[in-house]
Amino acid sequence: MLDIKNLKASVEGKDILKGLDLQVKAGEVHAIMGPNGSGKSTLSQVLAGRDTFQVDGGSVTWDGQDLLAMPIEERARAGLFLAFQYPVEIPGVSNAYFLKAAVNAIRKHRGLPEFDAMDFLTRVKAEMKAVGMKEEFLYRAVNEGFSGGEKKRNEVLQMALLEPRLAILDETDSGLDIDALKVVADGVNRLRSPDRALIVITHYQRLLDYIVPDHVHVLSHGRIVRSGGRELALELEEKGYGWIGDAGQVHAAPPAAGGAQ
Amino acid sequence: MKTATPARKIDSFLDQEYAAGFETLLEADTLPKGLSEDVIRVISAKKGEPEFLLEWRLEAYRRWLTMTAPKWAAVDFPDIDFQDIVYYSAPKKKDGPKSLDEVDPELLKTFEKLGVPLHERARLAGVAVDAVFDSVSVATTFQKELGEHGIIFCSFSEAVKTHPELIRQYLGTVVPPSDNFYAALNSAVFSDGSFVFIPKGVKCPMELSTYFRINARDTGQFERTLIIAEEGASVSYLEGCTAPMRDENQLHAAVVELIALDDAKIKYSTVQNWYPGDKDGVGGIYNFVTKRGDCRGARSHISWTQVETGSAITWKYPSVILRGDDSVGDFHSVALSNHRQQADTGTKMIHMGRNTKSTILSKGISAGHGSNTFRGLVRIAPKAEDARNYTQCDSLLIGDQCAAHTFPTIEARNPTAHVEHEATTSRIGEDQLFYAMQRGLTAEDAVSMIVNGFCREVFKELPMEFAVEAQKLLGVSLEGSIG
C-alpha cells in the first residue's frame, strides 16, 4: 500500500529525515517510536503534504502512484488521514458543517452519493456516542475552546467518519488521561480491518497496550534504526531511548532497518 | 513536481475575475466634461424639473464650491479633478419608454447578463426592481401591483414629476446639501435614483430593489435615493451595483435618505460590487457615499445591512439618527478588501430619543494588499435616557500583506447610557488551510468556508435570495486560479 524509499526531508535547511525506508501493507498496524526530535512528526506531515517541509530525495509510492506529487486534498481523498498532534481551531465554522463538507468531499471522490443533512446527522451522532462526545460539540466551532482530550476525540471522530485506508496518528496519546486514551484506542481498534493500515506515532509504550501493533520501528536521527515486533516496544520501555540512540550511531546503515521489511 | 502548497494557494487564490466587467455599446446622450451652474441648469432642464428643485441644486453647488474634499479617511488616492468628469450620460431614446417593450433591447440584455431580468416573464419572483443605467432609470417593474397598495416605487426623476410635494417635503431633510463635500456635490448634480413611499399602515408586500449600473466612460454616477415609511408602514429594500472594467477610476457619490415615522420599519440592504480595479490597483470605482436614516417617529426601526466587495475605494458610513423615543437602529456589515482595495466604512448611531437602542455588527475581511478600516461613532445625547448600544467589530486577515484598522468612538453625554464594545482580529492561517485540505477540501472551499463562517451573523440579516448571492459573491471575490 505504502512504500517509502530513502526519504529525505528538511525544514529551513535543517535535515530531518535522512533516508527513511518503510513499507506498510493493508491490514497492518505499524508503531513508530523514537525520542523527541527524531523526525516522527516530520514523517507524518511530509506524508500528508505539508509544504513547510522540503522533500530532498527518495520516493513514496501509494498504490503504485507517486504520493509526493499529489496535492494535499487528493491524498486525503485517496484515503490518507492524519490525526493531528495539535488539532487546529477554525473559529466561526461549526464542527457539523466542517465534518459534513469533509465527508462529502471524500464520498464524492469515491463515487458515493453525498450525505444530506439527515443522513449525516444520524451517522455523526452514532459515531460521537462511540467516542464519548456530547452532541453540543457538533454546533461549536471546530476545535475552538476544546480541551486537549476533546480535540483528540474530535480527531478520532473525523477518522471514523472519513473511513481512511491509511490513518496516521501523530502522538494522539500525548496529554491524554487513561480514560481518554482508552477511548482513542477503542476508536482506532474499531477501524482495524484487512483493507486498512495504521501508522501510530508515539513517544510512549503505553498506547501500544491498547493498540497492539504488528510492527514496531524505532526512529532516530531521521532514520529507522531498528524494527521488530511488539516486544521491541516493551524493550524500549525498559531500557529507554538512550540504548537505541547508541545503536543508531554505531550502525550508521543498520542491517536491521532493511531486515524488517 | 512539488505540489501546490497552502502558502502559494493563499496568494494565487486572491486573483479574482470580475464577472460584471463588460461594457454595453449604446448611443448615449452625454454632456461634455466639467461642472458649472450651466451644466446643472442643463441637467435640471433635461429632467423637466420644477423651479424649486433647480434652485435647491444651485444652492448646493454654491455651497460645494466653498467646501474642500475630506482627507480624514484612512484611504489614499490622488486628488480628483472634478472638471474632468461627465456629470450626465443617458442612453439615447425617443420620448422615454412607456413600457418595457420600448426599452432598448441592448439595455435589457445588459441587465439580464447581470442577473437582473426586467422582462415580465423572467422577473425575480417577489422582487420589484428599478434599474438605473448611468444617469437614468431605465425601467421599474411591478409598479402597478404596488400602486394598488398606495405604494409609490419609481425613479427619482419620475417622482419629481408625479409627486413634487413629497420631494419638496422630504428631500434633504436627513442629509442636507451642506452635510459634507460629496453630499453637496450630489445635491447639485444628482441625475436619478429611486423613490419609495409606503403610506400609513401598509406593509410592502414584496422586496423592492434598485440595480445601479455605471456604463459610460469618464462618467460619475450621482444617484439619490429617498425612502419614506409613514406611520406603521414597513419595507425591505435592496440595492445592487456593478460597473465595467476600466483603467481609469470612476466616481460614484450617492446620497440615500431614509425616513421612518412612528412604528415604521425600513430595512435597507446593499450588495455592492462596483469594479474594484485590477490586482495592481489600476482602475475601479471610488465609492463615496452618504447614507443616513432618520428614525423620526417613536418606536421606528431602521436597519442597514451591507455586503461591500467591490470598489477601489469605499468611503461610506450608513448611519441612523434615533430621534423618536424607543426607536431602534441596526448596522450589519461585511466589507471585503482584496488586492489594492481600500475600504473605510462603518456607521454612526446618534441617540437622541429615550430608550433608544442600536446594534453595530461589523465584519471586515482583508486579503492581498487590501486595507480595511472600521470607523464607528456612537453618540448618546444628554436627553437620551436609557440608551443602549452594542458594538462588535471583527476583522479577518487573509495572508500577511493586508491591514485592518478599527476606530470606534463613543460619546456618552447621559449617565444612564449603556454602551458595549467588542473587537476581535483573526487570521486565516496556513495551518487552518492544511487542516481542512487534509480532510479532503480544496483550498478554495476551505477559505470560503472560513470566510462564510466569519460572515454568517451578517448574511442571516439579508433577504434569503440575496444572502445566497452575497455568499457566492464573496466566493468569487476571493477565488483565483488554482492549479
Side-chain angles (χ1 to χ4, degrees), chain B residues 211-482:
Chain B
Y211 197 92
F212 294 102
R213 174 73 176 172
I214 295 179
N215 187 62
R217 191 173 287 272
D218 303 326
T219 300
Q221 192 175 52
F222 304 93
E223 86 265 2
R224 187 103 197 173
T225 296
L226 178 56
I227 299 178
I228 302 141
E230 283 197 328
E231 291 84 350
S234 71
V235 62
S236 170
Y237 179 92
L238 185 123
E239 65 168 6
C241 17
T242 57
M245 294 158 78
R246 296 191 191 288
D247 291 343
E248 317 85 54
N249 295 107
Q250 281 181 286
L251 178 63
H252 172 256
V255 173
V256 176
E257 297 178 281
L258 312 182
I259 296 150
L261 303 184
D262 288 357
D263 300 292
K265 176 161 187 182
I266 302 175
K267 182 178 169 64
Y268 192 105
S269 314
T270 304
V271 175
Q272 187 263 105
N273 185 26
W274 294 119
Y275 178 53
D278 71 9
K279 62 185 193 325
D280 302 315
V282 176
I285 302 291
Y286 290 164
N287 190 35
F288 302 153
V289 169
T290 307
K291 290 184 165 175
R292 195 172 303 155
D294 188 354
C295 280
R296 209 165 278 185
R299 296 166 305 277
S300 55
H301 185 170
I302 289 180
S303 172
W304 297 102
T305 303
Q306 60 174 21
V307 176
E308 305 278 318
T309 62
S311 297
I313 299 175
T314 297
W315 185 94
K316 124 178 209 202
Y317 315 90
S319 304
V320 183
I321 301 168
L322 297 143
R323 203 183 300 274
D325 291 347
D326 301 293
S327 59
V328 179
D330 302 317
F331 173 75
H332 309 108
S333 169
V334 167
L336 169 86
S337 42
N338 191 4
H339 299 315
R340 303 275 169 182
Q341 278 177 278
Q342 309 173 58
D344 191 309
T345 184
T347 185
K348 289 188 273 188
M349 292 292 173
I350 312 296
H351 292 254
M352 299 172 77
R354 280 171 299 181
N355 289 316
T356 46
K357 205 165 72 177
S358 64
T359 304
I360 298 172
L361 179 58
S362 162
K363 303 276 182 179
I365 303 161
S366 319
H369 290 84
S371 157
N372 211 312
T373 300
F374 170 82
R375 198 179 294 278
L377 170 66
V378 176
R379 178 180 291 154
I380 316 282
K383 287 184 180 161
E385 293 289 317
D386 296 315
R388 276 175 293 163
N389 164 266
Y390 174 74
T391 299
Q392 186 185 331
C393 293
D394 299 324
S395 305
L396 182 68
L397 307 173
I398 307 177
D400 53 9
Q401 305 287 309
C402 53
H405 314 275
T406 304
F407 299 108
T409 306
I410 297 166
E411 295 172 8
R413 299 217 171 86
N414 183 306
T416 61
H418 194 89
V419 179
E420 284 177 73
H421 179 91
E422 282 180 38
T424 66
T425 301
S426 52
R427 186 186 293 278
I428 295 188
E430 275 174 51
D431 54 342
Q432 286 176 330
L433 276 192
F434 177 63
Y435 188 66
M437 291 165 76
Q438 211 300 305
R439 299 301 183 247
L441 302 177
T442 60
E444 270 140 348
D445 287 345
V447 171
S448 90
M449 179 179 74
I450 294 168
V451 169
N452 279 308
F454 178 74
C455 301
R456 192 166 41 209
E457 289 163 278
V458 172
F459 285 169
K460 74 181 197 320
E461 298 295 331
L462 286 172
M464 187 55 175
E465 54 270 47
F466 297 113
V468 176
E469 270 313 296
Q471 218 159 333
K472 274 195 222 149
L473 190 59
L474 269 192
V476 169
S477 293
L478 284 168
E479 217 166 80
S481 45
I482 295 183

Side-chain angles (χ1 to χ4, degrees), chain A residues 38-50:
Chain A
S38 57
K40 299 191 301 284
S41 283
T42 302
L43 174 63
S44 67
Q45 303 261 315
V46 167
L47 292 178
R50 182 118 205 198

Side-chain angles (χ1 to χ4, degrees), chain B residues 16-311:
Chain B
Q16 66 174 51
E17 281 293 320
Y18 183 75
F22 61 90
E23 178 177 2
T24 308
L25 293 172
L26 280 178
E27 234 189 307
D29 174 9
T30 303
L31 285 186
K33 284 179 182 177
L35 184 55
S36 64
E37 290 206 4
D38 286 344
V39 167
I40 292 166
R41 283 177 206 281
V42 172
I43 293 172
S44 187
K46 275 185 185 289
K47 303 202 150 291
E49 286 176 352
E51 190 61 25
F52 84 87
L53 198 50
L54 173 62
E55 280 311 314
W56 194 80
R57 286 175 179 277
L58 290 172
E59 209 173 299
Y61 175 67
R62 289 169 201 139
R63 188 66 188 247
W64 178 75
L65 288 174
T66 69
M67 299 165 97
T68 48
K71 296 280 186 196
W72 45 264
V75 296
D76 182 33
F77 60 96
D79 285 344
I80 298 170
D81 180 356
F82 289 93
Q83 296 303 336
D84 196 35
I85 292 174
V86 172
Y87 288 86
Y88 185 86
S89 176
K92 236 175 208 167
K93 56 190 176 188
K94 295 133 242 162
D95 275 326
K98 299 271 182 302
S99 74
L100 275 173
D101 299 338
E102 291 177 35
V103 175
D104 189 320
E106 277 301 314
L107 270 177
L108 293 180
K109 259 194 247 162
T110 299
F111 282 98
E112 243 164 71
K113 250 165 114 175
L114 295 168
V116 188
L118 300 173
H119 274 298
E120 293 282 346
R121 59 169 195 280
R123 277 176 194 176
L124 297 171
V127 181
V129 180
D130 182 24
V132 177
F133 192 84
D134 289 334
S135 302
V136 294
S137 165
V138 292
T140 308
T141 63
F142 289 109
Q143 269 177 315
K144 189 162 155 275
E145 292 84 342
L146 291 167
E148 285 161 13
H149 296 271
I151 295 168
I152 306 165
F153 177 43
C154 61
S155 72
F156 200 94
S157 314
E158 193 179 330
V160 167
K161 287 184 185 134
T162 54
H163 301 279
E165 73 293 347
L166 287 175
I167 300 287
R168 197 166 196 163
Q169 186 182 346
Y170 289 106
L171 179 67
T173 62
V174 187
V175 182
S178 57
D179 188 81
N180 68 68
F181 183 81
Y182 293 106
L185 178 63
N186 172 288
S187 303
V189 302
F190 74 86
S191 41
D192 218 335
S194 293
F195 177 81
V196 176
F197 178 83
I198 316 286
K200 203 168 172 171
V202 172
K203 311 245 172 279
C204 186
M206 61 181 85
E207 301 276 346
L208 303 185
S209 142
T210 299
Y211 197 92
F212 294 102
R213 174 73 176 172
I214 295 179
N215 187 62
R217 191 173 287 272
D218 303 326
T219 300
Q221 192 175 52
F222 304 93
E223 86 265 2
R224 187 103 197 173
T225 296
L226 178 56
I227 299 178
I228 302 141
E230 283 197 328
E231 291 84 350
S234 71
V235 62
S236 170
Y237 179 92
L238 185 123
E239 65 168 6
C241 17
T242 57
M245 294 158 78
R246 296 191 191 288
D247 291 343
E248 317 85 54
N249 295 107
Q250 281 181 286
L251 178 63
H252 172 256
V255 173
V256 176
E257 297 178 281
L258 312 182
I259 296 150
L261 303 184
D262 288 357
D263 300 292
K265 176 161 187 182
I266 302 175
K267 182 178 169 64
Y268 192 105
S269 314
T270 304
V271 175
Q272 187 263 105
N273 185 26
W274 294 119
Y275 178 53
D278 71 9
K279 62 185 193 325
D280 302 315
V282 176
I285 302 291
Y286 290 164
N287 190 35
F288 302 153
V289 169
T290 307
K291 290 184 165 175
R292 195 172 303 155
D294 188 354
C295 280
R296 209 165 278 185
R299 296 166 305 277
S300 55
H301 185 170
I302 289 180
S303 172
W304 297 102
T305 303
Q306 60 174 21
V307 176
E308 305 278 318
T309 62
S311 297

Side-chain angles (χ1 to χ4, degrees), chain A:
Chain A
M1 178 185 273
L2 187 73
D3 194 2
I4 305 174
K5 284 206 177 102
N6 196 27
L7 183 62
K8 293 177 183 166
S10 60
V11 62
E12 289 164 0
K14 190 173 176 252
D15 293 335
I16 301 192
L17 299 181
K18 301 169 186 168
L20 185 143
D21 295 284
L22 179 68
Q23 208 174 32
V24 178
K25 295 200 181 80
E28 293 179 344
V29 175
H30 290 247
I32 295 182
M33 303 182 70
N36 288 330
S38 57
K40 299 191 301 284
S41 283
T42 302
L43 174 63
S44 67
Q45 303 261 315
V46 167
L47 292 178
R50 182 118 205 198
D51 69 313
T52 338
F53 301 93
Q54 171 146 358
V55 176
D56 302 313
S59 67
V60 180
T61 313
W62 163 268
D63 283 344
Q65 282 192 72
D66 177 3
L67 182 78
L68 299 176
M70 291 162 75
I72 301 164
E73 69 271 25
E74 291 301 323
R75 302 183 196 197
R77 290 172 186 187
L80 187 150
F81 179 91
L82 172 63
F84 282 57
Q85 183 178 3
Y86 304 107
V88 179
E89 300 188 357
I90 310 180
V93 177
S94 76
N95 221 6
Y97 186 92
F98 180 70
L99 291 172
K100 184 164 170 258
V103 168
N104 280 336
I106 283 173
R107 284 182 70 87
K108 201 171 159 191
H109 180 80
R110 293 180 183 163
L112 297 169
E114 294 182 32
F115 279 140
D116 64 21
M118 289 310 291
D119 296 340
F120 173 74
L121 279 178
T122 313
R123 183 74 219 287
V124 76
K125 283 180 182 171
E127 292 294 347
M128 287 180 90
K129 214 167 170 185
V131 297
M133 277 174 85
K134 286 189 193 137
E135 273 182 34
E136 59 161 285
F137 283 95
L138 269 183
Y139 307 106
R140 286 175 51 180
V142 179
N143 292 323
E144 194 183 35
F146 288 25
S147 71
E150 286 160 355
K151 284 183 181 170
K152 296 296 171 75
R153 280 173 210 246
N154 204 24
E155 294 294 290
V156 175
L157 172 68
Q158 294 178 45
M159 181 172 71
L161 285 170
L162 298 179
E163 303 179 311
R165 296 187 48 232
L166 170 68
I168 305 167
L169 288 94
D170 188 1
E171 305 216 17
T172 302
D173 53 330
S174 64
L176 292 189
D177 61 29
I178 196 73
D179 291 333
L181 189 74
K182 281 181 183 163
V183 168
V184 167
D186 248 23
V188 173
N189 286 327
R190 269 187 293 118
L191 213 70
R192 286 180 87 148
S193 83
D195 53 359
R196 245 179 223 143
L198 287 161
I199 298 176
V200 180
I201 293 174
T202 180
H203 189 80
Y204 303 104
Q205 199 293 126
R206 69 172 185 164
L207 179 65
L208 305 181
D209 288 340
Y210 302 96
I211 304 172
V212 180
D214 303 307
H215 303 275
V216 175
H217 310 275
V218 181
L219 193 61
S220 176
H221 302 293
R223 281 195 197 100
I224 286 177
V225 292
R226 191 169 283 253
S227 296
R230 161 140 171 66
E231 67 290 346
L232 179 56
L234 297 168
E235 200 177 341
L236 272 175
E237 185 176 47
E238 201 181 304
K239 298 187 180 170
Y241 285 114
W243 158 72
I244 284 296
D246 293 344
Q249 277 159 12
V250 173
H251 310 282
Q261 294 164 31

